[in-house]
Amino acid sequence: MKTADEKELIAMMVGRTVENRYPRVAANPGETILKAVNVRTDRVKDASIELRAGEIVGLGGLMGAGRTEFARALAGVDRVLSGEIEFRGERVSFKNPGDAIRKGIAFVTEDRKSQGVILQFSVRENMALPTLSQRQRMGFINMKRERTFTADMIEKLHVRLSSMEQAVESLSGGNQQKIVIAKWLARDPALLILDEPTRGIDVGAKREIYDLMNEMKSEGRAILMISSDLPELLGICDRIYVMHEGKTMGELEGESMNESNFIKLATGRDLAWIG
Amino acid sequence: MDWVRKYRLGPLIGFVILFIVLSILSSQFLTFDNLRNVALQTTVNALLSVGMTFVILTSGIDLSVGSTLALSSAIAAQLMVSHVNVALACIVGVVIGGLAGALNGLLVSYGNLAPFIVTLGTQQLFRGLTEVYTQGMPIYNLPTSFTDFGTGTVLGIPIPVILAAIMFIAGWIVLRKTVIGRKIYALGGNLKVAHLAGIKVKRYLVWVYVACGVLAALGGLVLTARLGSAESTAGTGYELNAITAVVLGGTSLLGGEGSVIGTLIGALILGVIDDGLNLLNVNSFWQDAVTGLIILIAILLDRKKSR
């Protein structure tokens, strides 16, 4: 029996060779987009983070470390009880997701089927949702512009489907995820928070999502990625913050960004030499 | 049969079949007078079911519309017999309907309570308030300038029918053509997704119930004008007719799916069944049973469809 290595196996699954599983684009960080200091919510104890334009920053940790909860606080979903958040140099305190969206934050949630898309709605209706007000006149939707907009996004993100009127539930996980990313990209956000963006999608689509993230990075957006897939996190991110029991334990960058350091921080041990 | 599903033609086909069958069975059915009568008889339920469509699209329900109808029309009628300007009295009635809806909406959204429970409570509350207000006595001797609305016609079409048609068209435009309508569908389709997309879901929910209350009040004014009196028992059980019209029209009780066009057809199916059974001299006791059977058949067909 013939044995296959990982690369061959992937090639067999997606029908083409995926040259580099984790494509990396050189970071060219710009101004600080978001700075959060000592954020506390009812599920986050003490978390701080700084994100700059044009970089992909990871947020790692074990299950239940408070990563999603921290992201929810940054995106205006959960109430911040104490601490400070500065977005593009301005002190902010979001009352609801709408506040964060208007400032330029997009949040791609972890649970795609229950929080990312309206499954029974069409691709067009889903994609148009966060940007409805951009294609209206006196409250009326410009349907022609909506269809053009949807067609453009489908092409830009290489979503594979038969019609934009198709229900989202009939698409593959990877294509559903692209629709979620597309609807937020349409808002031209300065910060994109991606919570487990590649969970439950095939290897080929994963690679497309990475390419998309790198493109957004090159465009000068800040990206915060939460992932439980450690090789992915180490492979894609320029820096990684690690959380443990509701606290950010530290930041890994360059030489220090490796598996053993990650695990030390994720399990609550400190790295004395990181300072 | 795919296109039947795609364009949701089920209710329309049902209506057309019913229409043809009744035309064959009764020579009086397909006459202008009879059809006008059907339209007129359907008006109050039609007005209520437009509002009910909005509520059910948000995956809610409003059991209080019948009581809202009674309360708002009793207050409007009392003002009229106290020689308040008819138009002003009507506006007050509509505002009362809107306030009743606002109470429902606030309890459902900000109170985070189940619509079924909330409106079960307010159904009793509004009915009780109506009884207290009227002391159980009908309010009659209404000014003819008001009752003329119920009996008058324009180009042969009864004014109430015109009012209902306007409300249907308005409802259709709002739901299908506007940002507001799209957001109502979205929050019924998935409340979390809508919230995360920045839609102020609670505010929208309140306004949807307000709209439902306003339409119930309009239904009440039409009923009162036609009958020439307001009674504390007016509109009892009307919420079920409205819900039936919505469901027959193919709107999902789970929210996010359906249309006012479907509801219009649903309301017309109910009206035509009532009228047809009358024309065919079917015992009125049978009418409810037949209506119930048709609802069950419609739901069964709908279930097969969604599989």
Side-chain angles (χ1 to χ4, degrees):
Chain A
M1 193 174 149
K2 191 177 178 293
T3 56
D5 65 16
E6 190 186 347
K7 198 172 143 186
E8 286 169 339
L9 209 61
I10 291 171
M12 284 188 268
M13 286 193 288
V14 301
R16 63 189 161 86
T17 51
V18 174
E19 265 317 316
N20 183 357
R21 270 190 79 178
Y22 302 115
R24 188 187 276 283
V25 172
N28 181 20
E31 47 158 353
T32 297
I33 294 289
L34 180 124
K35 191 176 177 186
V37 183
N38 305 123
V39 168
R40 190 171 66 86
T41 72
D42 56 0
R43 283 180 297 173
V44 175
K45 286 179 191 155
D46 179 8
S48 303
I49 204 166
E50 188 170 350
L51 306 170
R52 291 190 294 268
E55 63 172 356
I56 300 175
V57 175
L59 185 59
L62 304 176
M63 288 282 174
R67 299 166 300 174
T68 296
E69 290 74 10
F70 186 27
R72 286 169 63 92
L74 298 177
V77 185
D78 288 350
R79 193 165 291 271
V80 175
L81 300 174
S82 69
E84 280 182 24
I85 300 176
E86 239 177 57
F87 187 69
R88 301 172 100 174
E90 181 196 344
R91 176 85 193 272
V92 289
S93 132
F94 303 130
K95 287 192 195 67
N96 52 53
D99 284 350
I101 292 166
R102 275 184 290 277
K103 291 282 183 198
I105 296 178
F107 182 27
V108 174
T109 51
E110 149 185 49
D111 194 340
R112 182 171 60 238
K113 286 180 195 295
S114 80
Q115 297 181 13
V117 287
I118 305 176
L119 284 169
Q120 70 274 29
F121 279 26
S122 71
V123 171
R124 175 177 54 77
E125 288 164 325
N126 270 288
M127 272 198 192
L129 200 56
T131 46
L132 281 175
S133 57
Q134 294 173 10
R135 292 176 301 275
Q136 56 100 25
R137 233 183 72 190
M138 288 159 59
F140 287 84
I141 297 170
N142 185 330
M143 290 302 292
K144 206 178 146 195
R145 277 180 65 197
E146 182 167 294
R147 277 189 285 269
T148 319
F149 156 80
T150 311
D152 287 350
M153 293 311 280
I154 287 170
E155 197 186 308
K156 190 176 174 197
L157 276 81
H158 310 290
V159 186
R160 275 172 281 274
L161 40 67
S162 52
S163 154
M164 67 170 75
E165 301 304 327
Q166 201 176 339
V168 167
E169 63 192 333
S170 64
L171 300 178
S172 70
N175 282 307
Q176 287 182 1
Q177 188 66 291
K178 283 186 204 168
I179 286 163
V180 181
I181 294 176
K183 75 172 182 178
W184 287 116
L185 218 45
R187 285 214 59 109
D188 191 20
L191 166 63
L192 251 123
I193 302 172
L194 305 170
D195 193 354
E196 302 283 3
T198 63
R199 182 188 279 170
I201 68 179
D202 68 75
V203 190
K206 272 186 189 179
R207 173 59 198 261
E208 286 181 288
I209 303 275
Y210 300 146
D211 288 340
L212 209 59
M213 288 171 64
N214 280 329
E215 200 185 315
M216 297 187 270
K217 171 176 159 181
S218 311
E219 287 167 359
R221 302 181 205 279
I223 294 154
L224 179 65
M225 174 166 85
I226 298 175
S227 176
S228 298
D229 181 344
L230 188 51
E232 170 182 274
L233 215 52
L234 295 169
I236 295 293
C237 298
D238 300 311
R239 291 185 291 131
I240 299 175
Y241 287 88
V242 188
M243 288 187 76
H244 171 72
E245 291 183 347
K247 293 178 182 163
T248 40
M249 301 301 290
E251 179 192 344
L252 301 172
E253 190 178 2
E255 289 290 294
S256 74
M257 210 167 89
N258 59 47
E259 226 167 289
S260 74
N261 283 341
F262 180 92
I263 287 162
K264 278 181 202 157
L265 289 178
T267 51
R269 282 171 288 173
D270 61 349
L271 304 174
W273 48 270
I274 282 181
Chain B
M1 293 305 270
D2 267 1
W3 55 275
V4 171
R5 200 169 306 164
K6 190 176 169 195
Y7 297 103
R8 303 179 198 286
L9 293 177
L12 182 62
I13 291 171
F15 176 66
V16 170
I17 292 172
L18 199 64
F19 201 87
I20 293 171
V21 169
L22 285 172
S23 304
I24 296 167
L25 289 180
S26 166
S27 57
Q28 295 156 56
F29 181 74
L30 205 58
T31 58
F32 182 74
D33 278 352
N34 183 57
L35 294 181
R36 189 177 61 182
N37 196 36
V38 172
L40 196 55
Q41 296 290 345
T42 307
T43 307
V44 175
N45 186 34
L47 286 167
L48 261 52
S49 53
V50 175
M52 192 65 79
T53 309
F54 275 71
V55 169
I56 289 180
L57 278 175
T58 68
S59 75
I61 195 108
D62 189 346
L63 301 176
S64 73
V65 287
S67 304
T68 302
L69 177 156
L71 180 62
S72 55
S73 53
I75 290 173
Q78 186 58 53
L79 289 174
M80 285 177 209
V81 297
S82 314
H83 305 293
V84 172
N85 176 288
V86 167
L88 184 64
C90 289
I91 290 169
V92 171
V94 168
V95 169
I96 296 289
L99 289 174
L103 178 63
N104 287 331
L106 288 169
L107 289 169
V108 167
S109 61
Y110 293 94
N112 206 14
L113 297 165
F116 187 91
I117 305 296
V118 167
T119 57
L120 195 64
T122 54
Q123 181 191 55
Q124 291 290 333
L125 175 66
F126 300 154
R127 182 68 64 192
L129 289 175
T130 313
E131 277 157 2
V132 170
Y133 183 73
T134 61
Q135 288 299 304
M137 302 296 283
I139 302 164
Y140 47 90
N141 280 336
L142 301 173
T144 49
S145 57
F146 176 64
T147 51
D148 282 352
F149 260 118
T151 51
T153 60
V154 174
L155 300 171
I157 303 168
I159 294 170
V161 174
I162 295 171
L163 177 67
I166 292 170
M167 290 302 142
F168 265 104
I169 293 167
W172 181 80
I173 289 174
V174 169
L175 284 177
R176 283 290 152 183
K177 300 287 175 192
T178 70
V179 173
I180 292 172
R182 188 67 72 78
K183 288 181 177 175
I184 290 170
Y185 273 99
L187 70 92
N190 186 325
L191 197 67
K192 275 185 192 161
V193 174
H195 178 60
L196 288 168
I199 297 170
K200 294 192 166 62
V201 290
K202 293 190 173 181
R203 200 177 293 178
Y204 271 84
L205 272 176
V206 174
W207 284 108
V208 163
Y209 282 89
V210 167
C212 189
V214 164
L215 282 153
L218 284 176
L221 292 174
V222 167
L223 186 69
T224 308
R226 284 186 52 211
L227 298 177
S229 73
E231 291 179 33
S232 62
T233 54
T236 306
Y238 280 23
E239 61 282 352
L240 294 179
N241 292 336
I243 294 166
T244 306
V246 174
V247 171
L248 275 178
T251 295
S252 164
L253 286 172
L254 300 174
E257 247 184 279
S259 72
V260 284
I261 293 181
T263 298
L264 173 62
I265 295 167
L268 287 174
I269 289 175
L270 288 179
V272 164
I273 291 172
D274 254 14
D275 178 65
L277 295 178
N278 266 326
L279 289 178
L280 298 172
N281 288 321
V282 176
N283 182 327
S284 64
F285 294 127
W286 272 106
Q287 296 190 4
D288 289 343
V290 171
T291 309
L293 260 177
I294 288 174
I295 294 166
L296 289 176
I297 292 167
I299 290 169
L300 277 170
L301 289 174
D302 190 60
R303 204 169 79 123
K304 234 176 198 166
K305 191 174 70 183
S306 60
R307 270 189 189 157

